[in-house]
Amino acid sequence: MIRLIEKGLMFGNLVHISSPALVERYNRALRHLAGKSTALTDFHVDISGYSPEVGIELDDPLYLNPNGVNRQFILLTTEQKRAPLLNVKFSTSRDILREFIEMNEAQLFALTATDAVAGELVNSVIKLTTPRDLLNLRKIEIEADTAGGTLRKAEQLAGMVERFKTEEDAWFDDVLIAKMIETARETGDVTRNPVRLRHTAFEQRNFWTAHFGGLYLFPDLDHPAAICMADVPDDLPLKHVFQKAQRNQIAKFLGLNNLVETIIEARGVDSSAILQQKMDFLTVSAAADAGVDMAGLDRSDMRRLARNHADRLPEAYHGLAQLLRWAKDGGPWPRITSDHPAYFYTLRATDTPNRDLVNMLLAEMAPLDPRQMFICHKELFYRTYATWPEAKKAYVADFLAREYQVDKAGARAALFGHEPDMSGSDRVSDEVIARVGPWGAVGRS
């Protein structure tokens, strides 16, 4: 994956931890959470404090995410809110962490000035044994404190202050007064500067999980359903549970809940340009399978490739071409139903609270569009990228670096309407590139 890292398309915007003080705080928090520590003197962390280098060192990519359910985190700086989340198991985790940091930024800034803040995204399930358990993950609560227990001690001090104010003869309780003074040395004056974290409970309604082969759960809709990327489980207590291959049923579910619109009917986008780019990606896929070198392709080259490899082009290409002819030249309206391979390539999510999740699902249903996959479903993109021929890897990496990285916000707006930063990625530091070897990357792929 070195090519992606060098172009800022992978491991971007991780926070570099190099000062001895921060490394020591990290180790204190790591011992507190997991009973482990690192011998590394510098490394990079994501929004949760997970470090790929430490994961390699400990031979445990889930050292801060035991069982892949209750994600733990280590905050050394509030700047981590801009970092991505690696090894994602639930689509909601990064948003929850970022919102928690932003809602408590002043308090966390003060706490991380002297210590690391360690915590956990807690729910009622400690280990998933069946898909049914996923529907119990409705509420996520964040428990957090410094490694030294500053918040716990501040709460104790607040209680002692209340006793001192209200209990008779507390003025003469030397033990109480001495304990208050001792605790205040660690917490500061909690009467003037109360140390308290707020907004620590979050609802997890509709979400994606990597567990059980990949599941999209939509229990909180008028017409609820689950969509499975692997085998359909038999114990999900939802009336409708679909496999990826059940395209008609998935399309009907998306339509009944008003979750999608066609690119053609979307306002404020250049639908012709989007359709043409999707067709180009389908052309590239066919040409790459034929072993064609695709360095430096322009528009005329892409047309030539499509002509020369017409017999290899997937049926989805021809459906998009019919739609493009209608959009540009007023040709006959093509009948593209959910049975047609082009169908999900023609859709984007409507502007609802489930927009990001739906665009993520559409990326799985239209797997030959690497741009949408990269923007909306990075875990799937990296996994799929590793299976491509070298020519396709090079073309897609160059395209994303050239066309997407230079104006990410503009690209997302053009494709999907106004979008939040779904990636958390930005520039990759030189240190990350230099140290990619220990992370297990091999070659130029």
Side-chain angles (χ1 to χ4, degrees):
M1 304 297 220
I2 293 177
R3 183 185 288 112
L4 294 179
I5 296 170
E6 289 179 336
K7 293 181 180 296
L9 300 169
M10 188 176 187
F11 295 133
N13 214 30
L14 296 180
V15 178
H16 189 203
I17 305 301
S18 58
S19 79
L22 290 182
V23 172
E24 193 275 331
R25 291 176 195 171
Y26 187 86
N27 268 327
R28 273 196 290 154
L30 187 55
R31 284 191 291 268
H32 172 74
L33 289 175
K36 302 176 181 180
S37 61
T38 175
L40 300 178
T41 56
D42 74 291
F43 45 87
H44 298 79
V45 297
D46 69 3
I47 188 173
S48 74
Y50 169 78
S51 166
E53 299 106 316
V54 174
I56 291 291
E57 179 197 23
L58 299 177
D59 193 23
D60 183 5
L62 295 179
Y63 72 90
L64 281 183
N65 196 12
N67 300 321
V69 181
N70 293 302
R71 186 118 193 180
Q72 297 173 316
F73 61 88
I74 298 173
L75 297 179
L76 297 170
T77 166
T78 55
E79 288 303 302
Q80 286 173 234
K81 70 179 182 179
R82 296 185 175 88
L85 180 66
L86 306 181
N87 294 337
V88 179
K89 297 297 182 183
F90 290 90
S91 60
T92 52
S93 297
R94 182 175 182 262
D95 289 340
I96 289 174
L97 279 170
R98 181 163 186 166
E99 187 174 349
F100 169 73
I101 295 172
E102 290 178 341
M103 292 294 292
N104 294 282
E105 191 153 6
Q107 299 284 46
L108 291 171
F109 182 84
L111 291 170
T112 54
T114 57
D115 203 352
V117 172
E120 185 174 349
L121 277 64
V122 181
N123 57 68
S124 59
V125 177
I126 60 173
K127 185 177 182 179
L128 292 172
T129 55
T130 71
R132 175 185 290 269
D133 295 334
L134 291 166
L135 294 179
N136 294 324
L137 306 179
R138 302 282 292 182
K139 185 177 181 181
I140 307 297
E141 293 188 359
I142 290 186
E143 294 180 358
D145 201 346
T146 65
T150 300
L151 294 176
R152 174 176 50 81
K153 292 173 182 175
E155 188 175 345
Q156 292 173 350
L157 179 56
M160 288 187 282
V161 169
E162 185 63 23
R163 281 181 55 197
F164 184 77
K165 289 180 177 179
T166 58
E167 287 186 5
E168 203 172 328
D169 297 329
W171 283 89
F172 306 105
D173 190 336
D174 293 337
V175 175
L176 175 62
I177 293 172
K179 195 170 183 180
M180 287 169 58
I181 294 171
E182 180 184 352
T183 306
R185 289 196 181 102
E186 299 182 60
T187 66
D189 187 349
V190 295
T191 59
R192 293 185 179 181
N193 303 296
V195 184
R196 190 175 296 112
L197 298 177
R198 60 194 180 93
H199 197 66
T200 57
F202 301 83
E203 291 291 325
Q204 181 170 261
R205 299 183 182 277
N206 304 313
F207 60 93
W208 165 86
T209 177
H211 293 281
F212 306 109
L215 284 172
Y216 292 83
L217 293 172
F218 295 90
D220 197 42
L221 294 176
D222 291 340
H223 305 278
I227 300 170
C228 313
M229 296 298 112
D231 295 336
V232 173
D234 56 10
D235 66 339
L236 268 178
L238 290 172
K239 183 178 179 180
H240 299 292
V241 181
F242 306 127
Q243 269 188 311
K244 182 180 180 180
Q246 294 178 277
R247 296 168 60 88
N248 292 341
Q249 291 88 334
I250 294 173
K252 184 177 180 181
F253 157 76
L254 293 172
L256 284 174
N257 289 288
N258 297 314
L259 293 174
V260 292
E261 63 185 0
T262 67
I263 295 168
I264 293 295
E265 65 187 336
R267 291 181 296 176
V269 302
D270 185 348
S271 57
S272 296
I274 295 173
L275 290 170
Q276 183 64 67
Q277 185 60 66
K278 289 177 182 287
M279 291 167 59
D280 288 350
F281 285 136
L282 296 175
T283 301
V284 165
S285 183
D289 290 340
V292 175
D293 180 10
M294 290 174 289
L297 294 180
D298 59 20
R299 168 58 40 213
S300 61
D301 294 327
M302 199 65 71
R303 287 194 296 269
R304 175 179 51 79
L305 277 179
R307 287 194 301 269
N308 293 346
H309 300 278
D311 57 331
R312 289 178 172 267
L313 293 174
E315 187 62 27
Y317 178 96
H318 301 295
L320 293 176
Q322 293 173 29
L323 194 58
L324 180 62
R325 282 194 292 273
W326 175 86
K328 292 179 67 174
D329 306 323
W333 172 252
R335 181 170 174 76
I336 299 178
T337 65
S338 55
D339 288 324
H340 198 290
Y343 180 76
F344 288 102
Y345 289 91
T346 70
L347 302 179
R348 75 173 195 177
T350 51
D351 190 10
T352 71
N354 297 297
R355 179 181 56 194
D356 295 351
L357 182 61
V358 173
N359 278 330
M360 190 177 185
L361 170 63
L362 291 175
E364 292 224 42
M365 300 302 295
L368 296 180
D369 184 348
R371 176 172 56 177
Q372 176 155 342
M373 191 187 298
F374 179 78
I375 296 173
C376 301
H377 199 336
K378 285 220 173 16
E379 296 293 308
L380 177 64
F381 175 83
Y382 296 136
R383 190 166 67 246
T384 306
Y385 175 93
T387 68
W388 291 339
E390 270 311 301
K392 184 174 180 180
K393 288 179 181 178
Y395 176 85
V396 171
D398 289 343
F399 174 86
L400 292 173
R402 182 180 67 252
E403 303 289 338
Y404 174 68
Q405 287 290 83
V406 295
D407 184 15
K408 292 187 290 185
R412 289 192 297 269
L415 288 169
F416 309 114
H418 176 68
E419 286 275 320
D421 182 1
M422 299 167 74
S423 67
S425 299
D426 197 356
R427 181 183 177 275
V428 182
S429 70
D430 294 336
E431 292 91 347
V432 174
I433 296 173
R435 299 180 60 174
V436 67
W439 297 2
V442 179
R444 301 291 304 177
S445 61

